[in-house]
Amino acid sequence: MEPQNTNMNGEATLLFTHAKTLRLHTGNLVSRSRLKKKCPSSPSEELQDCIQATLSDWLASPKLPSEEFPDTLDCSIPQETDAIPPEEREELKVSVKLFLCEPVQSSISDAVEMACQTLGVSQLDSVIIAPPGPVEGDSQTLANLQPAWEELTALVRNQQIAAIGTSDLDKDLLEQLYNWADVKPSSNQVNLASCCVMPPDLTAFAKEFDIQLLTHNDPKELISAATFQKAVQEGTQRAIAADWRLEWVLRYSIIVKSRGIIKAKGYLVSAGKASP
């Protein structure tokens, strides 16, 4: 990567100094040739590479001069952003996994709204939620899940989401959620790194209540605060010193229904400037 000139570093410093919120869209990773050259070893490494490359490309792109500095920086590469044409919408399925890094409920609505606007759709076909993990030593409880599920339910009722699912729930917690929820979970992801075979009790419960069991290989923490900060600093050629607090990460896949192939995939990321 060629070094940025001093003026660009100065511009980056001003933009990031004044901004309070950072919103980033990696664009379609299926078509981004720059990222194809390197095969990431994990979802964490893929996200780190994406953040760094997107910020670098965004800062290198021409910008209209402005006397005002926005509170929210929208970092995306227009030519890499593939909104879904209305005439193709019925042929495609938009699946999302939302990783919440903080227990801020408005994050869910913000993430879904940004995904719909970015992809040019009015509704996401499915959203799987990965809420913040419990405090170390504690286990996940229904009380931890309820606030997020209530917001997801509201988005289903507003027809912004068609189906909602969960991640890494065992049979007992999935049953508790199912019995409590007005809008039932349609799926539950299981990390096969922690269990090589689906637990029989979970399989039986899911089959009885028509819950689809899926597998994933995401780590408990998709990206650490330190790794995120490093990706931002490297992507901006260390033009900024402020700490940024990761709020949520949304990963989307656009799948051609008739062929089962991925047409597009990418990440949306939101971060807020940490209080001094």
Side-chain angles (χ1 to χ4, degrees):
M1 181 167 57
E2 296 183 2
Q4 296 173 338
N5 60 37
T6 305
N7 290 337
M8 190 168 295
N9 265 332
E11 179 188 21
T13 302
L14 287 171
L15 285 168
F16 279 91
T17 297
H18 286 81
K20 297 177 182 177
T21 302
L22 173 65
R23 295 285 173 89
L24 182 145
H25 176 214
T26 62
N28 181 5
L29 303 187
V30 174
S31 62
R32 281 192 75 169
S33 58
R34 179 174 181 175
L35 291 169
K36 284 182 181 177
K37 297 174 185 176
K38 180 180 179 183
C39 184
S41 62
S42 68
S44 298
E45 184 179 311
E46 178 182 65
L47 178 57
Q48 182 181 358
D49 291 345
C50 288
I51 292 169
Q52 184 177 336
T54 301
L55 284 171
S56 178
D57 289 350
W58 181 76
L59 285 169
S61 62
K63 294 173 184 58
L64 295 175
S66 174
E67 295 181 359
E68 296 182 359
F69 294 100
D71 285 342
T72 299
L73 279 185
D74 290 308
C75 301
S76 63
I77 314 302
Q79 62 268 30
E80 302 289 355
T81 304
D82 294 329
I84 297 174
E87 63 272 17
E88 295 182 18
R89 180 64 182 95
E90 288 300 314
E91 304 167 13
L92 303 171
K93 179 181 180 181
V94 182
S95 298
V96 159
K97 185 170 183 179
L98 177 58
F99 302 85
L100 297 178
C101 306
E102 294 189 341
V104 180
Q105 294 320 118
S106 61
S107 295
I108 298 174
S109 296
D110 290 346
V112 169
E113 183 65 29
M114 183 177 173
C116 288
Q117 289 181 358
T118 300
L119 302 177
V121 299
S122 60
Q123 184 184 66
L124 305 177
D125 293 294
S126 71
V127 174
I128 289 174
I129 192 81
V135 178
E136 191 170 349
D138 293 343
S139 56
Q140 189 73 271
T141 66
L142 179 61
N144 297 142
L145 295 171
Q146 284 172 330
W149 202 259
E150 285 173 341
E151 187 163 357
L152 286 171
T153 297
L155 293 169
V156 171
R157 287 175 173 156
N158 290 340
Q159 298 186 337
Q160 286 181 276
I161 305 174
I164 50 180
T166 57
S167 181
D168 299 314
L169 300 194
D170 60 20
K171 182 263 181 184
D172 290 341
L173 190 49
L174 182 61
E175 184 175 11
Q176 290 175 38
L177 177 63
Y178 186 91
N179 291 335
W180 168 81
D182 291 330
V183 176
K184 309 299 184 183
S186 64
S187 61
N188 180 46
Q189 280 192 338
V190 178
N191 190 333
L192 286 186
S194 59
C195 63
C196 297
V197 180
M198 289 284 185
D201 60 343
L202 179 62
T203 302
F205 179 80
K207 183 177 181 180
E208 181 179 357
F209 293 97
D210 197 25
I211 299 172
Q212 187 179 15
L213 292 182
L214 307 168
T215 60
H216 75 93
N217 65 340
D218 297 313
K220 288 186 177 180
E221 184 178 49
L222 185 61
I223 186 170
S224 69
T227 302
F228 174 69
Q229 185 71 11
K230 180 182 178 183
V232 172
Q233 289 180 340
E234 292 183 353
T236 57
Q237 290 290 288
R238 302 194 178 276
I240 57 171
D243 288 334
W244 288 85
R245 185 187 69 253
L246 192 60
E247 296 171 341
W248 51 260
V249 175
L250 182 150
R251 184 176 62 212
Y252 66 85
S253 298
I254 301 174
I255 301 163
V256 181
K257 293 178 182 177
S258 61
R259 299 166 63 193
I261 62 170
I262 296 177
K263 180 179 182 181
K265 63 174 283 191
Y267 291 93
L268 303 176
V269 176
S270 179
K273 187 171 290 182
S275 301

